[in-house]
């Protein structure tokens, strides 16, 4: 297997509050890794360590074999899509310009190419073409979420980081978005790290699931293995809520 993300003895604290004591983790290329744990367990921190938004106190993070501490963060992030709850769209740009943001940077002179990329990604996430000239505040929560995913994917990243992206939508929309992201993963082969509070979502989407407890990995395994052999009482409790 081909490791795409690796943490080696990564550590992060705020003052004397140790959030991530000593994280060692390998994520293989093409996996859909779901990251679940209580509020404050360090999920967002881990995600932001991957794209360099949170610097480490000690240890290293490697993306495609390169220590990100010595990488150019702009080009690193161009290869890592980031989708967050509430979509994080640019409010002053319409849907088309939001999705075209990174492709525009990359194909400065080739408008046609950017246009094609936008057309492709709105289809992939299941959005209607007539939404392209609307602004984010003229969209429903689920539509905003889809635009956020299309924008993250439009840069054709190798890695997609998603932080509770479906937290703010109703159950029906959430199920549709879950099915879509699963299909996108299967079609594109992009490596996904997906933070969630919802154990059902973690088990449904993940090819691997990480259960995080106070900044430490309680278990990292397939959804089947986690259900068959929970590593400790915390994991047992978590899957009993399913
Ligand atoms: N800038 C900061 N300064 C101080 N403490 C912080 C800061 N950012 C995060 N923390 C603390 O670090 C811990 C981990 O935060 P993190 O955001 O990673 O949790 P999380 O697992 O994503 O939680 P949630 O499920 O609520 O989003 C929390 O206790 C939080 O209060
Ligand atoms: Mg969080």
């Amino acid at each position: 297997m081909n490791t795409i993300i690796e943490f080696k003895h990564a550590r992060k604290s705020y003052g004397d509050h140790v959030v991530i004591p000593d994280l060692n983790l390998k994520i293989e290329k093409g996996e859909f890794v779901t990251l679940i744990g209580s509020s404050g367990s360090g999920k967002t921190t881990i995600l932001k360590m991957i794209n360099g938004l949170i610097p480490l106190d000690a240890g290293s993070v490697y993306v495609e074999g390169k220590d990100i501490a010595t990488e150019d963060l702009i080009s690193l992030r161009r290869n890592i899509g980031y989708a967050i709850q509430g979509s994080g769209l640019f409010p002053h740009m319409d849907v088309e310009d939001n999705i075209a943001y990174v492709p525009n940077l990359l194909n400065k002179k080739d408008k046609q190419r950017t246009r094609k990329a936008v057309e492709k990604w709105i289809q992939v996430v299941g959005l209607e073409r007539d939404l392209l000239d609307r602004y984010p505040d003229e969209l429903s929560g689920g539509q905003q979420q889809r635009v956020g995913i299309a924008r993250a994917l439009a840069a054709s990243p190798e890695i997609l980081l998603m932080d509770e992206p479906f937290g703010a939508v109703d159950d029906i929309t959430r199920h549709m978005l879950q099915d879509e992201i699963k299909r996108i993963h299967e079609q594109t082969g992009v490596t996904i790290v997906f933070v969630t509070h919802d154990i059902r979502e973690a088990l449904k989407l993940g090819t691997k699931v990480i259960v995080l407890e106070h900044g430490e990995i309680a278990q990292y395994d397939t959804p089947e293995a986690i259900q068959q052999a929970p590593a400790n009482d915390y994991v047992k409790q978590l899957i009993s809520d399913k």
Side-chain angles (χ1 to χ4, degrees):
M1 283 282 242
N2 205 342
T3 302
I4 186 163
I5 300 166
E6 182 168 13
F7 286 77
K8 280 191 189 163
H9 298 292
R11 180 181 172 85
K12 179 72 196 172
S13 30
Y14 292 102
D16 49 17
H17 177 199
V18 181
V19 177
I20 308 290
D22 180 24
L23 185 68
N24 293 285
L25 168 67
K26 277 187 188 178
I27 293 174
E28 308 302 331
K29 201 172 167 65
E31 295 277 10
F32 192 143
V33 176
T34 52
L35 178 55
I36 184 159
S38 318
S39 181
S41 59
K43 305 181 295 296
T44 297
T45 305
I46 290 176
L47 216 59
K48 287 181 170 175
M49 284 170 154
I50 300 172
N51 61 6
L53 282 173
I54 293 184
L56 315 185
D57 296 338
S60 316
V61 174
Y62 299 86
V63 171
E64 297 188 314
K66 293 182 195 143
D67 184 341
I68 67 163
T70 59
E71 281 294 287
D72 170 34
L73 284 183
I74 308 272
S75 53
L76 174 77
R77 284 182 201 142
R78 215 166 264 165
N79 199 22
I80 303 181
Y82 187 39
I84 56 175
Q85 184 169 3
S87 78
L89 297 174
F90 303 123
H92 58 287
M93 288 186 193
D94 67 15
V95 167
E96 177 164 7
D97 289 344
N98 262 286
I99 299 173
Y101 187 74
V102 173
N104 262 333
L105 295 175
L106 299 178
N107 332 317
K108 262 184 192 125
K109 300 211 173 81
D110 194 347
K111 289 248 155 53
Q112 189 73 20
R113 199 163 157 192
T114 296
R115 179 82 205 179
K116 272 200 186 133
V118 172
E119 298 267 341
K120 171 179 158 192
W121 290 113
I122 59 164
Q123 260 189 12
V124 171
V125 299
L127 278 172
E128 301 294 330
R129 289 199 69 249
D130 59 353
L131 296 180
L132 281 176
D133 52 13
R134 292 223 213 142
Y135 287 83
D137 67 357
E138 299 167 336
L139 302 174
S140 73
Q143 289 167 337
Q144 288 182 27
Q145 213 68 81
R146 284 166 208 257
V147 177
I149 295 166
R151 189 183 62 175
L153 286 168
S156 298
E158 292 283 324
I159 298 168
L160 183 56
L161 306 178
M162 307 184 84
D163 198 347
E164 306 205 36
F166 310 148
V169 297
D170 61 85
D171 278 352
I172 294 170
T173 308
R174 180 174 319 121
H175 285 126
M176 285 172 64
L177 289 169
Q178 286 172 346
D179 293 340
E180 261 149 38
I181 197 67
K182 220 174 147 91
R183 184 174 49 76
I184 289 167
H185 173 253
E186 280 157 15
Q187 280 176 4
T188 62
V190 63
T191 306
I192 300 180
V193 187
F194 184 108
V195 169
T196 177
H197 263 113
D198 177 352
I199 184 65
R200 278 169 303 176
E201 185 167 75
L203 295 170
K204 171 181 173 180
L205 295 180
T207 55
K208 290 270 184 68
V209 179
I210 298 173
V211 180
L212 198 69
E213 197 183 0
H214 307 301
E216 294 186 280
I217 296 177
Q219 193 163 5
Y220 178 26
D221 216 328
T222 61
E224 296 75 26
I226 285 190
Q227 289 175 92
Q228 278 160 18
N232 65 17
D233 287 345
Y234 179 70
V235 183
K236 227 178 261 174
Q237 174 67 41
L238 197 64
I239 59 175
S240 75
D241 292 342
K242 185 157 78 78

